[in-house]
Amino acid sequence: MRKKRTAFAAVILIASLFMAQNINYAESVSERVVTTSGDSQEADQSTATESSKTQETLTKQESTTTDPEREGEKQSDATSSEPQTASANQQKNEAVTVPEGMEVVAEKDGLILYLKPETTEIAVKDQKNGAMWFSNPQDREQDTIATGYNKSQLNVQFELTYYDNTGNALKYDNFTHSVESGQFEVEKVEDGFNVVYTLGEVKSDIEAIPKYISEERFNTLILGKLEEQDQKEIEKRFKYDEQNKRYERRDSSLKGVGLSKVTRIFESVGYDEAQIAIDKAAYGEEESGSASVIVPVQYRLEQGHLRVSIPENGIQYPDTMKIQSLSLLPFFGASGPKDKGYSLVPDGSGSLIYFNNKKTSVSPYSTALYGSDHAVNQLSQIQKEQKARMPVFGMSYGDKGYLAVIDKGDAVASVEADVSGRLNQYNTVHSSFSLSSMEEVTLTNGWRSSTVKRFQAQPFHNEMSVIYEFLSADDASYSGMASTYRDYLTEQKNLTRLGDDTELPFYVELIGGIPKKKFFLGIPYNAYESLTTFEEAQDILKEMQSLGVEDIQLRYSGWFNGGMHHDMPKSIDIDKKLGGAKGLQSLQAYTQENGFGLYPDVSFLEAFPEAKGFKKSYASRQITGKLAQLFPYYIASFTQESEASPGYVLSPEAVPGIVSGFLQDYKETGLTGLSLRDLGDQLNSDFNRANVINREQAKEVVMNQLEQVRSSDASLLVEGGNSYASPYARHIVDAPVSNSGFNITDEAVPFFQLVYHGFVQYAGQAWNMADDQDSHVQMLRAIETGSAPYYTWFYADPSAIKLTSFDALYSADYRRWIEESAERYKELRNVLQDVQNQTIVKHEKLSKGVYQTTYEKGKTVIVNYNDAAVEWNGTRVAAKSYWVGGDMPE
């Protein structure tokens, strides 16, 4: 009998393994395999066809390099580091079927939306290519990695993290706490449906333990039934109140393992809800009752995409809960261990995380959009990471993909991603939203101290929504995702294309004046140090002209109200040591006469140390009620330099009045350009308990100010380039050109540049201020990404910045750079001048250190960063050089 059972089990096991091998996780298909030699192209028909087209194109193009010498080793075996995918023909032969139990709820614009009513999981079919996208993996029961809680998580459509009233961190999800108990309602509406989830009873485990229990009941009902070891465990969790002859629960000791032990012990002696009701009644405690969480989720097909949203004020929950975050569709489009492709995350200029890259020993990717909120206390700053400037993420499987745009609530959103092998066998990327922030406060009483949590007074209640755009073979790459997001910005945010006569700009920032501490008879005093007067600025521009530099866009920082760390900009007082109002008018006339841009710089979101005109009522508040201060950080220890004079984060409530006051004076100067140091770079809350302004509300304030500035006919140059500011900007400087280098990411890609080229002109960090100051490498990167050159300079002797907080400007002496920068600009202009108003239709990595950029009218550029020459299908690109070709039709 046992042998028969063993044989039967073996048959079942073999059959299940066979089925598992035939599972198609995401209908992935081929992604071109790139080689540096046409002779090495093999089997895959789609790869061979694509490569032959590339070779044919390259043989027609004329080769141009920066280095006439044809030296270096031929890299015939270099290949793309991107993962290869299964062939397109193989995948197309696999039938796409609708899983059992799913029913059609909407069909529109080439998409079909399915719902499985029993589990509320969804699927979307893209009729253009037959691809099916699922909210949850369809083969999750065969996952051999996930167990227990992680296995259950594969069923969820959202998850909440929260703290209860005792400070315990807990999680809630719609499957475990709603679907399994049938506590949800589905309402079908036009083009979609709504699901309203009721998530169980919010009751902390600590509520199963009495707050007070009489001495008699404690001894007879609890201790009298326990062994000595458990008695000791219980006695240290309660303290005896001799006056009232009762025991009181020690809440501070009932967390984590301690709480689990006590609840287990109480259950073992039969202490149940009836017993706790007796003790609560004896000491006047009220029953907590049944408190549930209501979460509505809406699904709609609209304009060829799927919108998933949670409406404003939709989430309802008791005050005892402090919800921290909500993860939405954490397994949408999840790929399995046999899929080939990548996830796109908005790290800096953009990053790719290859499926199944085996990086399970490093942290998953998780980054808040638009950088840190400076109103949240940050005692240390361990890593200077690139900000996530765009509210997007996506997946590419070669022949299909999707781009997700966080359309509402992006200011409080994060993007999270992970690879297979850590918690389960899936590669995932999704959005999460921070609904409430928290800070810890340490309370002291003599020699004792304790830490308590303080929560945001008014949690986030605005709408949250994510748009999923589905991509077919031609667009299923990060280049296609960038094109999709650009279309979204033009249609929804009024991003407009540059004119045909647009020139390649040369961006230069000149530093006017800085504060400097000086001494008189040993007594320190605050003084003003002029680094570049208006007249000296003209001299620099004239010298640049004589060297052949055209289309100069001048960003002038530190020109009013006391220099770089200016006083409150509610009014304008042009610094006299720079030449005053007349000097600025002369500089303006010179730039207008020569067709240059002039962008005086201003900061609206920060009050600098000891700024005149600053009032504490202007400052944001932290959750603890303290003023939100800004300190410099020690590079060595990553901690705040708390002995320095602090700056302050300005409340979004104060910003409109400051901007209005500034613009009144600004109009009188006759200036037509304006540089915004922080309106396109920072986003800060105000946690004032009387009137909390969350980041989403702060974003609306910033956008209103950008609209006000633009309505004054000012041309805008912004720093950083957060997505919401880009439609208002003519120029972006200090744009991200790489990623943060997180261990889990595999490649940095110029997604930012792919989106904006032809619509907004941009430059990365100032070339002479970057960690790598090799201007030749900087030029190659600009050629690859279609970027303009950017420098930060001043005129004075470099000794002027010694013993100041601006010693980081040590490499900003313009004399060291001006001739070299002019040569770099002229060479860059020869390559990029004719494509300034064209989009980049494709960017790809051909092999290690070799990248190709293709513009919409056919121009192609290949950049080789390697120390040796490479050959691509008969075209040789010298070491650390580039090749230009392609047709440029009129």
Side-chain angles (χ1 to χ4, degrees):
M1 187 69 177
R2 178 177 295 180
K3 289 182 179 179
K4 290 183 179 180
R5 289 178 178 175
T6 303
F8 180 73
V11 171
I12 295 296
L13 177 61
I14 293 170
S16 65
L17 289 173
F18 179 80
M19 291 175 63
Q21 289 176 349
N22 287 277
I23 291 168
N24 179 19
Y25 292 96
E27 282 96 43
S28 61
V29 297
S30 71
E31 181 175 299
R32 184 175 60 257
V33 180
V34 183
T35 66
T36 54
S37 172
D39 297 331
S40 65
Q41 297 164 9
E42 297 178 356
D44 192 305
Q45 184 63 40
S46 63
T47 300
T49 303
E50 186 71 28
S51 297
S52 64
K53 289 180 180 178
T54 304
Q55 184 173 5
E56 180 181 352
T57 302
L58 289 174
T59 56
K60 292 180 181 179
Q61 298 168 339
E62 295 184 1
S63 172
T64 310
T65 66
T66 60
D67 184 357
E69 297 179 1
R70 304 183 57 84
E71 297 179 353
E73 293 183 313
K74 178 180 178 181
Q75 297 186 347
S76 60
D77 60 344
T79 59
S80 170
S81 64
E82 292 193 22
Q84 302 176 18
T85 59
S87 72
N89 292 336
Q90 174 187 344
Q91 294 292 340
K92 287 178 181 177
N93 290 332
E94 297 184 12
V96 178
T97 59
V98 178
E100 183 179 352
M102 282 198 164
E103 58 185 48
V104 176
V105 290
E107 183 173 355
K108 185 178 182 182
D109 299 330
L111 298 178
I112 303 175
L113 177 61
Y114 297 87
L115 168 69
K116 192 171 186 178
E118 293 79 12
T119 63
T120 70
E121 60 191 286
I122 70 157
V124 179
K125 183 175 183 179
D126 185 352
Q127 293 180 293
K128 294 191 298 294
N129 58 4
M132 290 284 291
W133 296 94
F134 298 98
S135 61
N136 302 85
Q138 295 302 290
D139 61 336
R140 52 189 181 272
E141 293 303 321
Q142 284 77 49
D143 188 340
T144 58
I145 298 175
T147 58
Y149 172 78
N150 292 326
K151 189 89 166 185
S152 175
Q153 288 303 100
L154 297 174
N155 299 291
V156 309
Q157 285 82 54
F158 69 83
E159 182 182 60
L160 297 171
T161 60
Y162 71 96
Y163 287 92
D164 64 14
N165 55 5
T166 61
N168 294 307
L170 303 167
K171 290 188 176 181
Y172 239 25
D173 67 73
N174 72 299
F175 178 77
T176 308
H177 301 93
S178 178
V179 171
E180 282 196 317
S181 55
Q183 298 179 163
F184 65 92
E185 293 182 2
V186 176
E187 177 192 11
K188 295 181 181 179
V189 298
E190 185 178 0
D191 300 328
F193 65 95
N194 304 329
V195 188
V196 179
Y197 298 94
T198 301
L199 276 69
E201 183 179 336
V202 181
K203 194 170 186 179
S204 171
D205 289 344
I206 201 171
E207 294 184 44
I209 303 169
K211 179 69 174 175
Y212 304 102
I213 183 170
S214 69
E215 182 179 10
E216 179 186 358
R217 282 174 60 80
F218 188 76
N219 289 326
T220 59
L221 194 62
I222 308 296
L223 294 184
K225 297 180 180 181
L226 298 176
E227 299 293 333
E228 183 179 356
Q229 183 177 354
D230 285 344
Q231 285 181 356
K232 291 181 179 180
E233 181 67 35
I234 293 299
E235 285 174 341
K236 68 182 181 181
R237 308 295 180 181
F238 286 81
K239 61 182 178 181
Y240 180 58
D241 181 355
E242 187 172 357
Q243 181 178 352
N244 295 303
K245 302 298 181 183
R246 67 185 183 186
Y247 282 85
E248 181 180 352
R249 188 178 68 200
R250 296 180 185 268
D251 287 357
S252 60
S253 70
L254 291 170
K255 294 181 180 179
V257 177
L259 177 60
S260 299
K261 286 182 178 180
V262 174
T263 54
R264 176 185 58 80
I265 293 170
F266 269 59
E267 287 175 3
S268 70
V269 299
Y271 191 89
D272 55 18
E273 292 187 5
Q275 295 294 341
I276 198 170
I278 294 172
D279 290 316
K280 285 188 174 183
Y283 293 100
E285 289 186 76
E286 295 182 359
E287 288 291 333
S288 59
S290 177
S292 57
V293 181
I294 308 297
V295 181
V297 181
Q298 300 177 347
Y299 297 90
R300 298 287 187 277
L301 295 181
E302 53 181 46
Q303 300 176 5
H305 59 246
L306 170 68
R307 178 186 290 273
V308 183
S309 61
I310 296 175
E312 184 174 357
N313 294 315
I315 304 178
Q316 302 173 34
Y317 54 95
D319 294 337
T320 54
M321 284 186 75
K322 306 296 181 184
I323 295 181
Q324 298 298 289
S325 65
L326 181 147
S327 295
L328 187 61
L329 296 185
F331 294 97
F332 187 89
S335 67
K338 295 181 181 179
D339 286 312
K340 306 296 183 182
Y342 53 78
S343 298
L344 170 77
V345 293
D347 175 29
S349 63
S351 283
L352 305 183
I353 302 175
Y354 295 147
F355 295 164
N356 313 307
N357 64 14
K358 299 182 180 180
K359 295 182 179 181
T360 55
S361 61
V362 301
S363 299
Y365 176 83
S366 179
T367 296
L369 297 179
Y370 311 136
S372 301
D373 186 338
H374 291 159
V376 176
N377 189 24
Q378 298 176 44
L379 296 177
S380 62
Q381 196 174 61
I382 297 176
Q383 176 175 311
K384 185 178 181 181
E385 64 185 55
Q386 294 285 332
K387 292 182 181 179
R389 302 287 185 184
M390 295 183 167
V392 298
F393 59 91
M395 277 190 168
S396 170
Y397 294 83
D399 77 318
K400 76 167 193 174
Y402 75 82
L403 175 74
V405 180
I406 305 174
D407 184 56
K408 302 286 185 182
D410 52 303
V412 299
S414 297
V415 172
E416 302 180 19
D418 205 356
V419 294
S420 64
R422 189 194 312 275
L423 303 177
N424 51 61
Q425 66 179 23
Y426 301 102
N427 306 277
T428 60
V429 60
H430 68 279
S431 60
S432 65
F433 299 85
S434 176
L435 305 186
S436 180
S437 297
M438 177 199 72
E439 289 182 9
E440 292 187 340
V441 181
T442 301
L443 305 176
T444 59
N445 181 15
W447 57 272
R448 294 183 299 176
S449 65
S450 61
T451 300
V452 298
K453 296 177 175 64
R454 290 289 298 272
F455 298 94
Q456 183 176 326
Q458 301 167 23
F460 181 81
H461 54 75
N462 302 73
E463 180 182 359
M464 295 167 278
S465 77
V466 180
I467 292 173
Y468 293 86
E469 298 272 6
F470 302 106
L471 312 174
S472 54
D474 294 339
D475 298 320
S477 65
Y478 61 85
S479 298
M481 294 178 195
S483 176
T484 301
Y485 185 52
R486 186 194 314 121
D487 291 343
Y488 166 86
L489 291 176
T490 55
E491 294 168 8
Q492 304 295 327
K493 308 298 180 182
N494 297 320
L495 186 70
T496 55
R497 189 184 280 260
L498 299 170
D500 294 338
D501 58 348
T502 304
E503 300 278 335
L504 175 71
F506 183 107
Y507 295 109
V508 59
E509 178 186 29
L510 296 181
I511 309 297
I514 61 172
K516 184 174 184 179
K517 194 172 289 296
K518 295 185 178 180
F519 297 87
F520 177 73
L521 299 177
I523 301 173
Y525 67 97
N526 295 324
Y528 181 96
E529 185 75 27
S530 171
L531 297 184
T532 311
T533 66
F534 298 130
E535 184 176 352
E536 290 165 347
Q538 285 191 52
D539 292 340
I540 293 175
L541 295 181
K542 290 175 182 177
E543 190 171 348
M544 292 172 68
Q545 279 184 292
S546 69
L547 294 171
V549 177
E550 303 176 30
D551 200 66
I552 300 170
Q553 302 298 320
L554 171 58
R555 182 189 191 192
Y556 202 111
S557 301
W559 59 282
F560 79 111
N561 289 20
M564 284 288 288
H565 286 177
H566 55 68
D567 296 329
M568 294 297 294
K570 292 187 70 172
S571 60
I572 295 176
D573 183 13
I574 301 171
D575 294 339
K576 293 181 174 55
K577 286 193 175 182
L578 300 181
K582 289 185 178 180
L584 180 58
Q585 289 173 1
S586 176
L587 177 61
Q588 180 191 5
Y590 178 81
T591 56
Q592 288 179 340
E593 180 182 341
N594 289 276
F596 301 156
L598 175 59
Y599 298 88
D601 184 71
V602 60
S603 170
F604 286 124
L605 301 183
E606 178 180 349
F608 295 104
E610 302 176 5
K612 295 179 181 177
F614 170 72
K615 299 178 182 178
K616 290 186 177 180
S617 60
Y618 293 162
S620 287
R621 295 275 175 174
Q622 296 176 347
I623 296 171
T624 58
K626 295 180 180 179
L627 295 178
Q629 296 179 327
L630 295 169
F631 290 94
Y633 285 83
Y634 287 113
I635 297 177
S637 63
F638 306 109
T639 56
Q640 289 181 349
E641 191 177 339
S642 56
E643 299 299 321
S645 298
Y648 293 90
V649 178
L650 293 180
S651 169
E653 189 174 35
V655 169
I658 296 170
V659 172
S660 295
F662 176 87
L663 289 180
Q664 287 181 3
D665 285 3
Y666 196 73
K667 290 176 182 177
E668 295 178 4
T669 66
L671 294 165
T672 57
L674 185 63
S675 165
L676 301 175
R677 194 183 311 181
D678 47 24
L679 273 184
D681 181 59
Q682 296 181 24
L683 206 55
N684 305 313
S685 307
D686 183 358
F687 295 107
N688 189 321
R689 301 188 74 81
N691 180 30
V692 174
I693 301 175
N694 61 50
R695 284 190 102 195
E696 187 68 21
Q697 294 166 331
K699 186 189 76 173
E700 294 301 317
V701 170
V702 167
M703 292 175 64
N704 289 338
Q705 306 321 301
L706 289 168
E707 184 64 43
Q708 184 179 356
V709 174
R710 188 170 66 175
S711 65
S712 65
D713 296 328
S715 177
L716 293 182
L717 179 151
V718 303
E719 182 175 314
N722 286 345
S723 179
Y724 53 83
S726 59
Y728 301 93
R730 175 64 177 79
H731 305 279
I732 299 174
V733 297
D734 205 17
V737 295
S738 187
N739 62 8
S740 302
F742 294 130
N743 290 330
I744 197 169
T745 60
D746 295 292
E747 290 282 353
V749 294
F751 185 86
F752 184 99
Q753 288 76 15
L754 285 163
V755 170
Y756 287 128
H757 199 279
F759 286 76
V760 182
Q761 291 184 295
Y762 51 81
Q765 185 181 10
W767 290 13
N768 60 314
M769 304 302 294
D771 293 336
D772 183 357
Q773 295 186 356
D774 185 342
S775 65
H776 182 71
V777 173
Q778 299 279 7
M779 184 188 67
L780 290 178
R781 187 172 294 115
I783 289 174
E784 179 200 348
T785 60
S787 304
Y790 179 39
Y791 287 84
T792 295
W793 292 338
F794 61 79
Y795 188 91
D797 188 274
S799 62
I801 63 171
K802 290 181 64 176
L803 303 178
T804 71
S805 57
F806 297 91
D807 52 6
L809 295 173
Y810 67 91
S811 61
D813 179 5
Y814 89 98
R815 300 166 189 83
R816 294 173 52 191
W817 302 98
I818 189 165
E819 291 187 3
E820 181 182 280
S821 69
E823 292 302 315
R824 297 295 184 212
Y825 171 75
K826 286 186 285 186
E827 186 170 0
L828 195 60
R829 190 175 186 277
N830 287 336
V831 178
L832 298 178
Q833 172 56 38
D834 54 2
V835 293
Q836 284 303 292
N837 74 327
Q838 294 183 32
T839 60
I840 299 175
V841 295
K842 192 172 189 180
H843 176 274
E844 57 187 326
K845 181 178 182 178
L846 303 182
S847 65
K848 184 177 180 180
V850 183
Y851 299 87
Q852 179 172 284
T853 305
T854 305
Y855 292 88
E856 64 178 306
K857 291 186 178 180
K859 188 168 191 174
T860 301
V861 180
I862 299 176
V863 175
N864 174 21
Y865 291 99
N866 296 302
D867 293 328
V870 296
E871 188 166 310
W872 173 254
N873 289 340
T875 298
R876 188 175 186 277
V877 186
K880 292 193 181 304
S881 186
Y882 60 91
W883 177 94
V884 181
D887 298 327
M888 287 292 296
E890 295 296 331

